[in-house]
Amino acid sequence: MQVRSPEVVRLPSQLTVDYTKCTGCRICELACSAKHEGRFQPSLARLKIIRYDDLGIDIPNVCGPCEEAPCVEVCPVYAMRRDPISKMVFLDHDKCILCKSCVGACVNGVILLDTTEMRIIKCDHCGGDPECVKVCPTGAIQYGPISSATTFERHGKVASYLREIEHSAETQQSDGAS
Amino acid sequence: MAAGGYTGRILRVQLGEGNFKVDKLPLEWIRDYIGGDGFAAKLLYEEVPAGCDPLGSHNKLIMSTGPITGTLWPMSGRTVFVSKAAQTGIWGESHVGGFIGPELKYAGYDMLVIEGQSDKPVYVLIEDSNLQILDAGKFWGMKTHEVTAAIKKEHTDPDIQIAAVGPAGERKVRFSSLIINNARAAGRTGMGAVLGAKNVKAIAIRGHGAVEVSDHEAFTTLAKAAHMRVRTNPQAQEMGKWGTWILTAVKQEIGELPTYNHRTGVFSGWEKLSGDYIRPRYTISDRACFGCSLGCKKMNYVREGPFAGTLGEGPEYEGLMAFGSGLGIADYPTTLKANQICNRYGMDTISAGATIGFAFEAFENGLITTKDTGGLQLEWGDSQAVIKLLEMIGKREGFGDILAEGSRAAAERLGRGTEQYAIHVKGLEVSGQDGRTHRSIALGHATGARGADHLRSLVVVDQLGYEKVAADRWGADKLPEIIDPYTEKYKATAVVESENAYCIRDTLIVCWYSVSWPPIFWMNDFADMLPLATGEKSFGDVKNLTRIAERQVTLKRLFNAREGITRADDNLPRRFTHDPMPEGPGKGQTVDLEPMLDDYYRLRGWDLETGLPTEKKIRSLSLEWTKKYAPSH
Ligand code: SF4
Ligand code: SF4
Ligand code: SF4
Ligand code: SF4
């Protein structure tokens, strides 16, 4: 039996994130839900801002950039596919059997199951004209071609920042500070 | 849905019975009060009886939002807590940014009303329609950041928004606050004590629903354009960079940086409390409240010195003033540390700093000694004494127990003429302004419904050279006097008109920094936006909005009148009216309050002698219903 090897593709345009610029304002979540749901409902936004109020950092989680897309790999019925031209991952709602595998597989945790309407919700990059990028006041989310290096760098930065904070938290504790 | 933007529901938590109750939002409230502060004023007037003990079971804690809370409109993430104030016994309100207001809307409620009293420590969980009053025995005694983390962990949801009472609120420190998610404070008037007295440690809110406006497309387009106005406004960009710290230099320059307990308006050490100094040395990230494209919040970290390792947001300009210049301390880390203690214990920075300033000055003048303080020397500029006192207040230990009552009550307890150093109006300590070098704020401090308030009617246009804005708003014929900070003339006009606009701001609810400094949005912008949000056409008329604002100001006044407030209480500390500003650009200035008060009452339609709303005014604002709730004596 042949094992399907993960499809690695070159990505023309992707959402990219610079968490150091993000203020955690969640305007992007609002605008995303406004555009796709016709109402203001961040819980159904196709991206998610994780706010760490104790550390003072805010990290946008968006769809991609995934050169190997686990949601595509995991989908048993090929409902989650790549657009052959834009390479963007999209969801074919008619095929979806709501198995929820992609929800768990998404590395960024931005595929949602809307339990009210029983449907999978996923970023469609606004068809190449991302609303979240336009409304973001700080440039923390951008859209364009990227090299994979940026992605790794982003995660590296978060890790080193967290280390510094952890260190300072320890110092604080050993000081017995309030 | 009642009208666009609203959820149409009021959630009541009945602690005595251990129940929840969902009421319909009365439709006529929308037309007459819009939301936020307005709804809360109506409910408080009707339901909290005159003369009741703010810390007793008859008082209620109201959390209120507005029609655009949770939408894309810029800076609309704010919410208000209203109660009969623990600190002053009169109208109490405290606004807060962050994310908790929108969360309440997404959970499906416009307002939350906490009633009665629990006999054991509890916390309230509101998760859409999952409503629970849960045991908080294990959380009692925790600082606000600890209980916040513990509740998030308990419910394995980092997105729960939490309003927490700290040790100060538990011990009913009169100026204790509610702290939302570590660093956003509903600071003033003692909301922490009100909730603490009810035995409620925290309110935890999580919502997954939506806010739907009346005309989604048009509203969204306007909101996006409004965001662009914020993003391209040069002063807003500066505010985003420096936060409220930008004010230190401005205040110093105009001689209005309260220093040594408001004795003077210039501080030699101001530079170390300015944005230019602080940001490059201490700031590690910029943050924002919900839906804000300005982002004035700063996360800061102290790398060395006695407060090394302190990591926290803030303080605001007011905190820099309260713990910096106000106490003669030219050291940012001290103010950050003091601010953090206040956040963790749940205390208002302005009142905490001012009450310590009161003690410092009384000590300096020999009216209190180490016998009162338990051996502690109190001296201007002593950081360690400030930190020590803050913890003593938070724990109500020793001398801290007296200061925990606030400066007015502490002076009453101590006697010996100390009251001359209690710088308050109606029991609320004066914020970081000085009427001697900014006459309109003298009137604002004196007439503010909650006491010496800098957020309900502070005019900035008269002070920072916005000549054109002033001419547009108040008429070119009133220039130059109306923008001259050293004259009483026309100041009531500027105060009343600003107070009206801020009233509408507080019904929506949007941030101070979207209307005031810089002046981006004003009444006409709200009149353009509100009909799209709500579908209520009458909100499109500035005249009608002005009437709603007048109604709200007058209703709060009637609430205070019912508690015995009259013109005699609309006063200022002698310091501002009798001691000339000793130095700086405004050297020699004092406030002549009475003529401004006359003008203010005239414009408001209140009686000149009593300072109370006239019958005619009450009728014209459709406030006759208040009579039904008047005290029966
Ligand atoms: S939920 Fe739908 S799209 Fe996701 S993996 Fe299952 S079938 Fe595919
Ligand atoms: S690209 Fe569009 S769909 Fe995707 S998160 Fe941004 S706004 Fe939402
Ligand atoms: S709009 Fe931009 S700055 Fe605001 S939360 Fe989203 S990514 Fe962060
Ligand atoms: S300006 Fe500051 S306080 Fe106001 S909403 Fe924005 S971040 Fe919050």
Side-chain angles (χ1 to χ4, degrees):
Chain A
M1 189 184 131
Q2 189 155 10
V3 180
R4 186 153 60 112
S5 71
E7 186 198 9
V8 180
V9 289
R10 294 188 50 79
L11 304 171
S13 266
Q14 283 292 312
L15 291 171
T16 58
V17 158
D18 178 353
Y19 85 94
T20 60
K21 290 190 178 139
C22 177
T23 60
C25 68
R26 297 172 64 190
I27 292 171
C28 49
E29 291 182 5
L30 280 166
C32 179
S33 73
K35 176 162 179 162
H36 296 282
E37 299 295 325
R39 52 186 191 255
F40 301 107
Q41 188 169 12
S43 68
L44 294 185
R46 278 77 169 152
L47 79 176
K48 177 152 179 64
I49 305 304
I50 311 284
R51 290 178 50 94
Y52 296 89
D53 287 321
D54 47 345
L55 306 174
I57 45 177
D58 305 286
I59 301 182
N61 282 270
V62 299
C63 166
C66 291
E67 278 142 7
E68 295 169 24
C71 57
V72 172
E73 301 306 322
V74 83
C75 181
V77 294
Y78 300 96
M80 197 71 86
R81 297 197 299 273
R82 267 193 206 275
D83 183 280
I85 298 160
S86 72
K87 303 291 181 218
M88 179 204 86
V89 173
F90 75 98
L91 169 60
D92 182 346
H93 280 278
D94 293 339
K95 285 218 167 90
C96 173
I97 54 167
L98 286 175
C99 74
K100 293 183 285 193
S101 305
C102 54
V103 176
C106 174
V107 280
N108 293 311
V110 290
I111 303 181
L112 306 172
L113 174 70
D114 172 6
T115 48
T116 318
E117 291 183 28
M118 284 318 282
R119 60 181 169 146
I120 294 292
I121 285 183
K122 187 199 163 287
C123 169
D124 64 359
H125 292 195
C126 292
D129 184 22
E131 186 77 356
C132 52
V133 172
K134 284 189 275 186
V135 296
C136 174
T138 64
I141 308 182
Q142 308 230 338
Y143 191 65
I146 53 144
S147 69
S148 53
T150 348
T151 330
F152 292 121
E153 200 194 7
R154 166 183 130 211
H155 290 291
K157 265 195 205 160
V158 176
S160 72
Y161 184 79
L162 287 173
R163 266 199 302 278
E164 153 137 29
I165 297 283
E166 227 160 68
H167 171 73
S168 65
E170 273 161 28
T171 332
Q172 232 178 339
Q173 235 146 43
S174 60
D175 282 357
S178 65
Chain B
M1 212 196 323
Y6 304 91
T7 66
R9 304 197 303 164
I10 301 173
L11 177 63
R12 291 179 187 266
V13 188
Q14 302 169 320
L15 294 168
E17 299 81 4
N19 282 341
F20 288 88
K21 184 165 173 272
V22 179
D23 283 344
K24 263 200 167 138
L25 177 73
L27 276 178
E28 64 277 12
W29 286 20
I30 294 176
R31 191 195 57 216
D32 292 346
Y33 301 95
I34 302 176
D37 221 16
F39 287 176
K42 169 85 172 157
L43 197 146
L44 194 76
Y45 197 96
E46 288 187 359
E47 298 186 14
V48 172
C52 82
D53 175 5
L55 300 181
S57 64
H58 291 299
N59 198 10
K60 302 192 177 188
L61 184 91
I62 303 165
M63 174 183 170
S64 190
T65 66
I68 59 165
T69 308
T71 71
L72 189 59
W73 188 264
M75 305 162 174
S76 59
R78 295 184 72 92
T79 187
V80 64
F81 289 90
V82 168
S83 193
K84 181 170 176 180
Q87 192 178 358
T88 56
I90 57 172
W91 168 263
E93 73 182 293
S94 197
H95 292 250
V96 64
F99 300 78
I100 198 166
E103 208 66 38
L104 184 70
K105 291 278 292 280
Y106 299 143
Y109 314 98
D110 295 308
M111 299 174 83
L112 172 68
V113 185
I114 311 231
E115 322 180 329
Q117 212 159 18
S118 167
D119 47 17
K120 60 176 185 18
V122 293
Y123 71 104
V124 178
L125 178 73
I126 298 157
E127 205 181 352
D128 302 311
S129 54
N130 171 25
L131 308 169
Q132 298 186 53
I133 299 173
L134 297 163
D135 179 57
K138 59 183 180 237
F139 300 144
W140 208 251
M142 280 186 177
K143 294 185 181 128
T144 59
H145 68 300
E146 293 164 344
V147 66
T148 299
I151 291 175
K152 289 185 183 206
K153 201 166 161 204
E154 178 119 353
H155 299 279
T156 54
D157 185 353
D159 292 324
I160 296 182
Q161 298 293 323
I162 293 162
V165 168
E170 290 176 12
R171 294 183 176 89
K172 303 171 193 73
V173 170
R174 291 283 166 174
F175 47 83
S176 53
S177 55
L178 292 177
I179 301 292
I180 323 292
N181 281 15
N182 297 44
R184 289 296 123 79
R188 304 223 76 189
T189 73
M191 296 299 163
V194 172
L195 206 54
K198 293 188 177 305
N199 256 319
V200 176
K201 180 69 181 170
I203 305 166
I205 305 176
R206 181 75 167 108
H208 297 84
V211 173
E212 294 181 67
V213 293
S214 179
D215 183 342
H216 181 81
E217 292 306 319
F219 177 86
T220 304
T221 306
L222 192 68
K224 285 197 275 188
H227 273 289
M228 288 318 292
R229 281 171 66 186
V230 177
R231 283 164 66 175
T232 53
N233 182 299
Q235 285 108 1
Q237 287 166 353
E238 288 291 294
M239 270 288 295
K241 182 164 183 200
W242 306 107
T244 50
W245 303 334
I246 198 169
L247 291 172
T248 312
V250 175
K251 295 285 204 174
Q252 170 74 12
E253 196 187 324
I254 58 183
E256 200 204 353
L257 179 65
T259 301
Y260 302 119
N261 196 30
H262 283 268
R263 205 148 65 191
T264 173
V266 289
F267 181 47
S268 57
W270 70 274
E271 269 174 308
K272 290 203 160 164
L273 301 174
S274 69
D276 282 328
Y277 187 86
I278 302 168
R279 183 176 172 104
R281 288 170 179 79
Y282 301 104
T283 302
I284 55 174
S285 68
D286 298 302
R287 306 193 80 208
C289 300
F290 188 89
C292 177
S293 40
L294 189 152
C296 75
K297 302 297 176 205
K298 309 291 158 221
M299 190 71 173
N300 308 290
Y301 180 62
V302 179
R303 288 183 178 76
E304 54 195 18
F307 302 116
T310 309
L311 171 74
E313 278 186 38
E316 299 294 332
Y317 157 75
E318 287 288 341
L320 285 181
M321 179 282 303
F323 300 119
S325 59
L327 301 176
I329 293 173
D331 179 48
Y332 169 74
T334 304
T335 68
L336 181 65
K337 183 72 185 175
N339 189 69
Q340 187 176 70
I341 293 173
C342 283
N343 284 349
R344 291 183 169 183
Y345 278 86
M347 299 191 285
D348 176 34
T349 53
I350 301 176
S351 286
T355 303
I356 291 173
F358 151 80
F360 275 21
E361 196 169 3
F363 193 97
E364 181 185 34
N365 289 285
L367 301 186
I368 59 173
T369 65
T370 46
K371 277 207 198 82
D372 300 288
T373 65
L376 208 61
Q377 292 282 343
L378 305 185
E379 252 170 65
W380 299 117
D382 184 347
S383 297
Q384 293 302 338
V386 174
I387 300 302
K388 184 98 216 300
L389 278 177
L390 281 175
E391 302 211 332
M392 286 165 69
I393 295 170
K395 296 181 190 154
R396 274 195 181 267
E397 261 173 28
F399 187 52
D401 190 32
I402 296 176
L403 298 186
E405 293 296 305
S407 63
R408 177 176 70 181
E412 274 165 23
R413 286 252 302 261
L414 292 163
R416 300 168 236 173
T418 51
E419 73 275 0
Q420 60 184 305
Y421 304 125
I423 308 301
H424 70 88
V425 177
K426 301 183 178 78
L428 190 73
E429 285 76 13
V430 175
S431 45
Q433 302 75 33
D434 192 318
R436 288 173 294 187
T437 41
H438 185 190
R439 222 57 115 235
S440 57
I441 190 59
L443 181 59
H445 280 156
T447 54
R450 66 174 183 179
D453 196 330
H454 62 296
L455 295 171
R456 303 281 95 69
S457 65
L458 170 63
V459 188
V460 289
V461 170
D462 60 349
Q463 191 191 26
L464 300 173
Y466 289 102
E467 225 177 287
K468 195 179 142 1
V469 182
D472 289 350
R473 279 186 198 169
W474 306 312
D477 57 315
K478 299 195 182 62
L479 291 169
E481 289 95 335
I482 203 160
I483 57 165
D484 177 352
Y486 301 150
T487 161
E488 281 73 18
K489 200 164 176 197
Y490 296 136
K491 289 299 142 40
T493 303
V495 164
V496 165
E497 202 252 354
S498 303
E499 192 174 34
N500 287 344
Y502 301 162
C503 259
I504 300 305
R505 171 201 73 195
D506 292 346
T507 63
L508 298 176
I509 305 169
V510 293
C511 181
W512 162 267
Y513 287 105
S514 73
V515 298
S516 186
W517 200 77
I520 309 175
F521 305 113
W522 207 246
M523 283 286 216
N524 48 326
D525 300 296
F526 299 144
D528 289 344
M529 174 273 287
L530 267 173
L532 301 178
T534 61
E536 173 64 51
K537 298 276 174 299
S538 68
F539 292 161
D541 177 10
V542 171
K543 273 209 208 84
N544 181 43
L545 292 184
T546 305
R547 207 170 100 89
I548 293 172
E550 281 185 23
R551 180 179 297 125
Q552 194 181 320
V553 174
T554 299
L555 179 54
K556 290 186 197 174
R557 183 64 169 187
L558 288 170
F559 182 90
N560 279 347
R562 203 168 62 169
E563 302 293 341
I565 295 290
T566 65
R567 176 170 182 148
D569 301 287
D570 292 345
N571 55 16
L572 286 174
R574 271 184 70 88
R575 175 147 290 178
F576 300 129
T577 51
H578 288 76
D579 304 347
M581 180 62 89
E583 58 194 319
K587 188 170 179 199
Q589 293 288 326
T590 52
V591 178
D592 188 6
L593 182 62
E594 300 307 321
M596 288 197 291
L597 276 181
D598 286 346
D599 290 348
Y600 179 87
Y601 298 144
R602 250 183 239 117
L603 289 168
R604 282 267 170 248
W606 298 355
D607 183 73
L608 253 57
E609 210 168 302
T610 61
L612 303 182
T614 60
E615 278 303 313
K616 198 172 141 220
K617 197 71 201 175
I618 291 173
R619 260 200 317 278
S620 82
L621 293 173
S622 320
L623 285 169
E624 298 100 321
W625 62 266
T626 52
K627 300 219 169 84
K628 218 166 78 196
Y629 301 92
S632 49
H633 55 235

